[in-house]
Amino acid sequence: MLSAFHSGEKSGFELLLTDRQDFETPFEIVNFPEEFLPGWTGNEIRSNASRIFQSGNLGRNGSKALAVQPISTFNGELIVRLSPENLVNPKVQFFAKSVQNGTGTRPAQVFYSWSENKDRDFSVPQLLGEAIEFGNENQEFRKFQFALPQEFEDSEQIFLRMEIRYGSGSGNCARWIMDDFEFGEIIEDTIPPTLVSVKGFDERELLVQFSESVDPVFSQFLINYNLEGVEPEKVEMKSDSLIRLSFNQPLEKGKEYGLQVAGIPDLEGNFLRDTILNFQFFDPTFIPQKGFVVNEIMPAPKTDLDLPNVEYVELFHAGDYDYRLGNLRWSNSRSEVVLNEYWIKPGEFVLLVPENQAALMQDFGKVIPIKNWPTLLNSGELLVLKDDRGAVIDQIEYSTSSWGGAEFSGGGYSLEIVNPYYACDQSDLLQSSKDSFRGTPGKENSVLDLSGDIIAPEFISWRFISPTQLELTFSETIFPDFSIGNFTFQPAFLIDSVVSDRSKIILEVELEENLEYLLSISGLRDCSGNSVLSLEPVMIVLPTQAKIGDLVINELLFNPRTGDPKFVELQNLTEKYLEIGNWKLANLDESGKIDQVQVLNEFGLIIPPGGYLAITTDSGRLKLAYPRSFSGLFHEVSTLPSYPISGGKVVLLNENDQIVEEFGYDEDLHHPLLRDSKGVSLERISAESSANINSNWHSASGTEEFATPGRKNSQVISGEFEGEMILIEPEVFDPEGSNGNTFTTIQYQLDQAGWIGSFRIYNLAGQLMNVLSQNEILGVKGFFSWTGTDSQGKKVRPGYYVLVVELYDLSGAVKLIKKTIVVATRL
C-alpha cells in the first residue's frame, strides 16, 4: 500500500521503529558494497553536488538530507538493510521532494523493490507515486509510506532497493531529496488534513497549502472555498497538497483576508474541518524597487582558488514577502535574459550562474542556471534587474576601480555591497570581498555593515538653474520614490515634472517673476528610510536678473582686526529680488586694468529687495566679530580680490564683465578723530551719490560695533526733505560718537540745476570755522558732510553752530539760508 502525506507532523501517529536515518551523519565516500551510512549502500557516492551526495541544507527545516541527481548516464541506486523480525505489518516511511535542476522537463522517477540478498533476486520494481511525482520543480516535502510484502515479514534481515531514474522529457532531470527515513509499525491514518498556509501567486491568484495530499476531486469544487463572500472563478491542483485559486478581481496588496475552506478530504477519506485561515495578501510578482538587490558580483574568477572558476551574480531578497522570479529580466550592456519560475523567501540568497557551470555552484546555495549567460566584463559595466513591465528593481555599475586596487581586480575577488537594505544606488559603495575564499556566494557578505544611517536628512537650499527649473538641495541622497504630489506651492499652480539626482531634486515649474511662493515638502526619505526633518514652508522667488544701477558698493572693511576677515557689502536699490550669482568683484592692477576677478557664485545668488549682502571669506568669524550683524545677509567666497590696507580700488562687474561701479578707498576717508581704524569699516552715506565722492564715505559708528555687515549702515542719510531746500541730519552729533553719529550731513534739493552755492560753518561769535563748499556749481540735489572739525582739522568745542548757505542762480536770484547745528560731547 502506498500513501503520501505533507511534511507537517500529524499528532496521533505511533511508531515502533527498528530502523531510522536522519542523514545528519557525514557520508563515507565509498560505493557498493561498502556502506556510506550504517545499513546504507549506493552505487556512486560523491562529496560534491552530483550523483548521490549529502545535501547540506535541503532537508526538512534546513537540515541535511540525502540527494540524488540522475543524468543521462547515471541512475541512482540505494540499498537499505532492514530488520523486520517481530514486527507486525511493518512499513517504510520517509519524506521526499524534488528540487529544480536547470530548465529541463524530466522528472526523477523512484522505483522500489525487495530482496533477502543484498546483490540479487530483487522483486519487480514498483513506481513510487505517479510518473511525474517528482517533476523538475521546487517542491515541498511530502510523507510517503509503503508496506513490506508479507513474504518478507518473518525474515531476520531484508534489503530495500530504491532506484532514482532519469525520467523522460527534455533537458535536465529533477534532483531528488530524501529525509527522515523510518521503518517499523505505523498505525493507520485517521487524522483529517489541515490548512497550513495561504499566500499570493499573482495579483488575482492564491496558493493554498494543505498538510497532506488531498482528494483531487473534492479539492477542485469552487463551492469549497470562500474569500470573504467571494468564490474563486477557477481552482487548479498544482500538486497533491497544493491548490491554486483564481479570482475575477485583483486582490488588495497588504490587506488582511480570511479564506474559508470546507468539505475537502485527504486520500484516506478524513475530511477537513471547516476552517478559516487569516492571511495578509501580497502579490509575489510585484517586486518593489530595491526589494530584490544585486548583492555580490564575480566578474573575474580565477582558477586554482577556493571558489570555482565561475562568473556569478548573487541576488538577495531584501523585502517582506515571498517573490516569484519568473519573467524577471536580467541584463548587462549587451544582452538580456528572462529568469525562469523560482520562489524566494525574505532574507534568502540566490545565485545566477551560467547553465553549463551550475553544478559547480550547487554547494554554495540556491542556484538559477542561465542558459545564455551575459558575460561579465572585467573592465566593468552596468547590470540591471527589471520586472516584466520594464520597471527597474535594482541596478549596479562597476569598473576596475571598484575593487580598490589591481591586486584585487585581477585576483579573483568578488565585489560586495555593504548594506543590502540601503535603498539607493550602491555602485560607488562596492568593495572587494574580505572573505578568505575571496567571495561569499550564497551567504552573508564579508563587508556587511547594517549599523546604518540614523540621521534624518535636512533641506539645505534652493536655486533656479534655469527660469523653469527649480533645484532643491538636501543634506544627503533622497530615495527617489517621490512624485509631484510631495511638493505643493502657495499660490497654487501645476508642477510639470520632478526628477531626482542623488541629493538634488529638480522641479519643472513656470513661476511668475518676483512673486513670493511658499513651497511645502512632505513624504521624502533618505536611502536608509529616515524621513526628511519636518520643515516650515520655504519661500521661493524667481528673481530678476540684476542690471547696472540696481546695486551699489555700500560698505568695505579693508583693515580688519587680527584674525577677522575683510568684507565688501552690496546694496540692492530696487524692490525686486535680484539674481547676481554671475556678478563679480575685482580690483585694479598697477596699470589700472581689471585684475583678480572673483565670481560671486556660479550656482546662483539672490539678494532681496532693499537688501544688504556682505561678501566675505569667513561669514562665521565675521558674525562673531560683529554680533549685532548676526542675522544679516552673508555670502561666503573662497577668496576676495586683494584690497590692501594702504588703499586700492573695489570694482563691481556684471555678468558681462561691464564695470558697474568703482570705489577708490584709503585710510584718509576715515573720520579725522578716529584714533585706530583697525576693524572699522567705511560706510556709504548716500546710494544716490557717486562712490568716488570722498565725503560720501565715513567710518562706521562705534555704537554699532564699527561695522554693519549684511544690514543697514550706521552712517546713512534718509533723503526725505519734506519740502525744505536744506536738511541737516542729525542736527545734534558728537564727533567722538557718543550718540551714534560722528558727523552730520547737509543735504540740499533745488528746483533746478545751475545754482552756485557756498556752505560755511560759523560759531555763535560769528567766527568762520569751516568752509564745506565755496561757489560750487550744484546739481538738483546733493549733500555735504561736517565731522565737527575746523578748517585746520581740529575738533571744535561743544556748542551751537550756524550753517550759512548762500545760493545764486544765473538770473541773479539770491537765497540765504541759516540752520543750527549742535556739536555734543560725552557727559
Side-chain angles (χ1 to χ4, degrees):
M1 176 182 177
L2 169 67
S3 298
F5 302 93
H6 186 264
S7 60
E9 291 291 348
K10 306 191 91 179
S11 59
F13 269 78
E14 297 179 6
L15 304 177
L16 177 60
L17 305 176
T18 62
D19 296 277
R20 184 170 187 170
Q21 180 56 252
D22 60 10
F23 304 110
E24 295 298 316
T25 303
F27 291 6
E28 296 288 336
I29 310 303
V30 295
N31 298 326
F32 181 87
E34 296 184 61
E35 295 181 347
F36 66 91
L37 287 174
W40 289 70
T41 63
N43 59 338
E44 191 167 349
I45 309 300
R46 293 282 184 92
S47 60
N48 57 7
S50 62
R51 304 299 196 265
I52 302 171
F53 63 97
Q54 184 180 37
S55 169
N57 58 3
L58 292 179
R60 298 176 67 206
N61 300 317
S63 65
K64 297 178 182 178
L66 182 144
V68 182
Q69 181 61 68
I71 59 175
S72 60
T73 57
F74 172 78
N75 290 324
E77 183 176 294
L78 300 169
I79 297 178
V80 188
R81 174 167 42 84
L82 303 173
S83 301
E85 191 174 17
N86 300 323
L87 296 178
V88 178
N89 297 322
K91 297 177 182 179
V92 168
Q93 177 176 289
F94 56 85
F95 291 88
K97 68 176 181 179
S98 60
V99 174
Q100 186 174 356
N101 174 40
T103 58
T105 63
R106 298 179 187 273
Q109 294 182 327
V110 180
F111 292 83
Y112 63 95
S113 55
W114 304 91
S115 176
E116 293 181 331
N117 297 298
K118 188 175 186 177
D119 55 358
R120 66 183 185 279
D121 301 332
F122 280 90
S123 62
V124 176
Q126 301 292 313
L127 177 64
L128 182 65
E130 304 294 333
I132 58 170
E133 186 74 34
F134 300 105
N136 191 20
E137 60 186 5
N138 293 315
Q139 298 178 344
E140 299 290 337
F141 272 112
R142 304 184 299 286
K143 185 182 289 185
F144 293 87
Q145 284 183 11
F146 49 84
L148 176 69
Q150 288 184 354
E151 62 265 30
F152 296 109
E153 287 185 1
D154 296 330
S155 301
E156 180 180 346
Q157 179 175 271
I158 52 96
F159 294 92
L160 168 65
R161 181 175 66 182
M162 302 185 70
E163 301 172 80
I164 299 85
R165 298 180 183 177
Y166 186 71
S168 60
S170 62
N172 295 343
C173 177
R175 177 169 296 175
W176 188 71
I177 309 295
M178 174 196 283
D179 200 6
D180 293 338
F181 178 93
E182 296 167 336
F183 176 69
E185 296 179 9
I186 302 174
I187 297 176
E188 182 181 357
D189 172 20
T190 60
I191 299 176
T194 59
L195 199 55
V196 175
S197 66
V198 180
K199 66 179 181 180
F201 186 74
D202 61 25
E203 67 174 356
R204 298 171 185 261
E205 296 184 318
L206 298 176
L207 287 181
V208 181
Q209 179 69 64
F210 292 90
S211 61
E212 58 175 306
S213 299
V214 292
D215 186 277
V217 177
F218 282 86
S219 63
Q220 297 194 65
F221 290 160
L222 300 181
I223 198 172
N224 288 339
Y225 306 92
N226 187 296
L227 183 67
E228 299 188 350
V230 179
E231 290 183 3
E233 66 171 349
K234 180 182 178 182
V235 178
E236 178 186 354
M237 200 168 198
K238 293 289 290 180
S239 70
D240 54 12
S241 63
L242 187 64
I243 305 297
R244 186 166 82 182
L245 308 179
S246 301
F247 295 87
N248 284 319
Q249 298 297 323
L251 303 180
E252 185 178 338
K253 297 180 181 68
K255 180 179 176 180
E256 293 284 345
Y257 286 92
L259 178 67
Q260 182 176 0
V261 183
I264 298 176
D266 62 13
L267 299 179
E268 301 297 327
N270 303 304
F271 274 83
L272 171 77
R273 298 181 182 91
D274 289 2
T275 302
I276 295 179
L277 185 62
N278 295 316
F279 67 97
Q280 188 176 20
F281 174 77
F282 291 101
D283 177 3
T285 66
F286 174 74
I287 303 178
Q289 185 179 16
K290 285 292 184 176
F292 198 39
V293 301
V294 181
N295 196 53
E296 184 179 0
I297 315 166
M298 176 61 89
K302 290 188 69 175
T303 57
D304 302 324
L305 295 177
D306 293 314
L307 290 178
N309 184 20
V310 178
E311 290 185 357
Y312 65 83
V313 172
E314 179 189 81
L315 304 178
F316 175 74
H317 189 325
D320 301 318
Y321 54 89
D322 292 0
Y323 295 155
R324 279 178 57 213
L325 306 187
N327 296 322
L328 290 191
R329 292 151 56 185
W330 168 252
S331 66
N332 61 9
S333 57
R334 299 171 309 286
S335 61
E336 180 178 88
V337 295
V338 178
L339 303 188
N340 293 321
E341 185 77 2
Y342 195 94
W343 284 84
I344 185 169
K345 296 181 181 297
E348 289 187 338
F349 303 89
V350 66
L351 301 173
L352 306 184
V353 299
E355 185 178 62
N356 60 355
Q357 295 178 299
L360 298 174
M361 299 299 292
Q362 291 284 357
D363 282 349
F364 296 96
K366 296 183 176 182
V367 170
I368 298 180
I370 304 297
K371 186 174 183 179
N372 299 310
W373 176 253
T375 301
L376 307 179
L377 298 179
N378 296 2
S379 58
E381 57 185 328
L382 177 66
L383 306 178
V384 183
L385 184 67
K386 300 179 181 178
D387 64 19
D388 57 357
R389 298 174 290 273
V392 174
I393 298 171
D394 192 25
Q395 64 182 28
I396 202 158
E397 188 171 12
Y398 68 94
S399 64
T400 52
S401 63
S402 301
W403 276 275
E407 69 272 26
F408 299 109
S409 61
Y413 288 85
S414 74
L415 291 171
E416 300 178 348
I417 66 172
V418 174
N419 185 350
Y421 299 102
Y422 185 74
C424 296
D425 180 63
Q426 301 210 54
S427 300
D428 295 337
L429 305 178
L430 286 169
Q431 295 184 26
S432 295
S433 177
K434 297 179 181 178
D435 192 83
S436 59
F437 276 40
R438 305 191 182 191
T440 55
K443 64 178 183 179
E444 187 178 276
N445 284 350
S446 63
V447 299
L448 182 70
D449 181 2
L450 298 180
S451 57
D453 168 24
I454 60 173
I455 300 175
E458 298 181 50
F459 174 75
I460 300 298
S461 63
W462 60 270
R463 71 182 182 108
F464 283 91
I465 56 178
S466 78
T468 60
Q469 289 184 308
L470 174 62
E471 180 184 83
L472 309 177
T473 300
F474 295 82
S475 58
E476 58 180 300
T477 299
I478 300 299
F479 184 53
D481 64 343
F482 51 80
S483 65
I484 290 173
N486 295 95
F487 308 89
T488 55
F489 281 89
Q490 196 61 245
F493 71 95
L494 293 178
I495 301 172
D496 295 332
S497 65
V498 56
V499 295
S500 172
D501 181 16
R502 296 180 182 259
S503 64
K504 301 182 185 300
I505 296 174
I506 299 174
L507 303 179
E508 287 283 346
V509 294
E510 292 188 11
L511 301 184
E512 184 177 335
E513 194 174 89
N514 263 287
L515 178 63
E516 295 180 354
Y517 293 86
L518 290 179
L519 169 63
S520 297
I521 303 171
S522 63
L524 304 186
R525 58 193 176 99
D526 65 15
C527 300
S528 298
N530 302 304
S531 297
V532 172
L533 289 175
S534 60
L535 66 155
E536 296 296 320
V538 179
M539 190 181 75
I540 304 289
V541 180
L542 176 62
T544 300
Q545 184 62 47
K547 60 183 184 295
I548 294 176
D550 289 344
L551 281 93
V552 294
I553 301 169
N554 191 59
E555 188 175 359
L556 172 68
L557 177 64
F558 60 91
N559 185 13
R561 291 184 288 265
T562 302
D564 292 344
K566 299 179 181 181
F567 73 85
V568 175
E569 182 186 80
L570 304 179
Q571 181 186 359
N572 179 358
L573 303 180
T574 75
E575 296 181 356
K576 299 178 181 179
Y577 288 88
L578 298 179
E579 172 58 56
I580 60 170
N582 288 323
W583 284 40
K584 301 134 189 169
L585 286 175
N587 60 17
L588 298 181
D589 62 15
E590 293 180 355
S591 63
K593 294 182 179 180
I594 293 174
D595 194 19
Q596 297 183 9
V597 176
Q598 173 68 49
V599 177
L600 297 185
N601 192 339
E602 61 184 9
F603 298 108
L605 181 61
I606 298 175
I607 184 169
Y612 303 86
L613 180 65
I615 301 165
T616 182
T617 56
D618 190 341
S619 57
R621 180 74 184 182
L622 191 59
K623 290 178 182 180
L624 291 175
Y626 302 99
R628 288 193 179 183
S629 297
F630 192 84
S631 59
L633 290 179
F634 293 82
H635 174 63
E636 200 165 293
V637 293
S638 57
T639 59
L640 280 173
S642 175
Y643 298 128
I645 296 174
S646 58
K649 277 211 172 184
V650 180
V651 182
L652 179 63
L653 305 171
N654 66 8
E655 72 277 12
N656 298 319
D657 292 330
Q658 295 174 299
I659 295 177
V660 176
E661 192 167 51
E662 291 183 21
F663 168 41
Y665 69 92
D666 58 35
E667 285 282 347
D668 292 340
L669 295 183
H670 276 298
H671 195 286
L673 300 181
L674 187 66
R675 296 183 179 87
D676 183 3
S677 63
K678 185 176 289 294
V680 182
S681 72
L682 286 175
E683 294 182 333
R684 188 171 188 155
I685 298 174
S686 173
E688 297 179 356
S689 299
S690 170
N692 289 318
I693 298 176
N694 289 351
S695 60
N696 200 17
W697 294 88
H698 276 278
S699 306
S701 170
T703 61
E704 293 295 327
E705 302 177 325
F706 292 108
T708 56
R711 62 190 178 101
K712 184 178 180 180
N713 290 351
S714 64
Q715 312 281 20
V716 64
I717 57 176
S718 65
E720 297 178 0
F721 278 81
E722 299 180 353
E724 296 187 33
M725 296 180 66
I726 303 297
L727 178 66
I728 299 174
E729 187 179 9
E731 293 179 343
V732 179
F733 76 100
D734 177 6
E736 294 184 347
S738 63
N739 67 344
N741 289 79
T742 59
F743 66 96
T744 187
T745 58
I746 298 100
Q747 301 177 69
Y748 63 86
Q749 184 166 310
L750 307 174
D751 56 356
Q752 62 181 9
W755 286 87
I756 298 172
S758 297
F759 290 70
R760 301 183 183 89
I761 305 292
Y762 294 87
N763 63 16
L764 293 182
Q767 295 175 314
L768 180 64
M769 305 304 297
N770 206 329
V771 178
L772 305 181
S773 169
Q774 180 70 34
N775 296 328
E776 184 174 326
I777 299 175
L778 305 177
V780 173
K781 60 181 177 180
F783 73 93
F784 298 96
S785 62
W786 182 42
T787 59
T789 57
D790 60 18
S791 58
Q792 305 299 316
K794 297 179 181 180
K795 178 184 174 184
V796 300
R797 293 178 179 179
Y800 287 86
Y801 292 83
V802 178
L803 167 68
V804 178
V805 179
E806 295 180 282
L807 300 174
Y808 310 87
D809 68 6
L810 297 178
S811 65
V814 178
K815 290 186 178 182
L816 181 66
I817 302 170
K818 295 182 179 180
K819 292 274 188 177
T820 300
I821 302 173
V822 179
V823 176
T825 187
R826 183 180 289 109
L827 295 178

